Amino acid sequence: MEWFFDGLGTELISIIIGVILGAVTGGTIGYKIGVNKQSMKQKQKAGTASKQKQIGESDKTIVLDEKNLNVNNIKIKQEQKAKDEASQTQIGRVNVNER
């Protein structure tokens, strides 16, 4: 006759090791994704006859010897709201420096 809980300890240890390895792997991948992204958000609100100017600029240095070269991970989001007779200017730019 086989005991009902036979092999339960081995299964629990296997689950615990799997959870730890999954957390470490997922955390490492998430960290690499988060570190390589750059984002900039700017927001302005103004009333009537106001002047607004936003300049969003980011510098990105790339190394030409890398295999997976990707410069598309920079995000600039600018938003302006103003009422009548307002003057608004927005400039968003990404400077890519090659090495």
Side-chain angles (χ1 to χ4, degrees), residues 27-42:
T28 302
I29 292 171
Y31 174 76
K32 288 189 177 237
I33 290 172
V35 164
N36 291 329
K37 289 200 177 214
Q38 294 179 4
S39 66
M40 179 186 318
K41 292 182 182 179
Q42 295 177 320

Side-chain angles (χ1 to χ4, degrees), residues 9-98:
T10 306
E11 188 65 28
L12 286 175
I13 291 173
S14 173
I15 289 172
I16 291 170
I17 290 173
V19 167
I20 291 172
L21 288 177
V24 169
T25 304
T28 302
I29 292 171
Y31 174 76
K32 288 189 177 237
I33 290 172
V35 164
N36 291 329
K37 289 200 177 214
Q38 294 179 4
S39 66
M40 179 186 318
K41 292 182 182 179
Q42 295 177 320
K43 193 175 206 179
Q44 287 181 331
K45 293 182 181 180
T48 306
S50 59
K51 294 182 180 180
Q52 293 181 321
K53 184 174 186 177
Q54 284 185 336
I55 300 174
E57 189 166 346
S58 178
D59 291 328
K60 177 77 175 181
T61 302
I62 59 173
V63 179
L64 293 178
D65 294 339
E66 290 183 13
K67 290 182 180 179
N68 297 321
L69 184 61
N70 187 2
V71 188
N72 297 326
N73 58 359
I74 298 174
K75 180 178 172 183
I76 297 176
K77 181 179 179 181
Q78 296 176 315
E79 183 178 326
Q80 290 180 327
K81 292 182 181 180
K83 296 189 178 181
D84 296 334
E85 300 177 20
S87 172
Q88 296 179 322
T89 304
Q90 285 185 330
I91 300 170
R93 173 179 33 237
V94 176
N95 298 326
V96 178
N97 304 314
E98 297 177 2

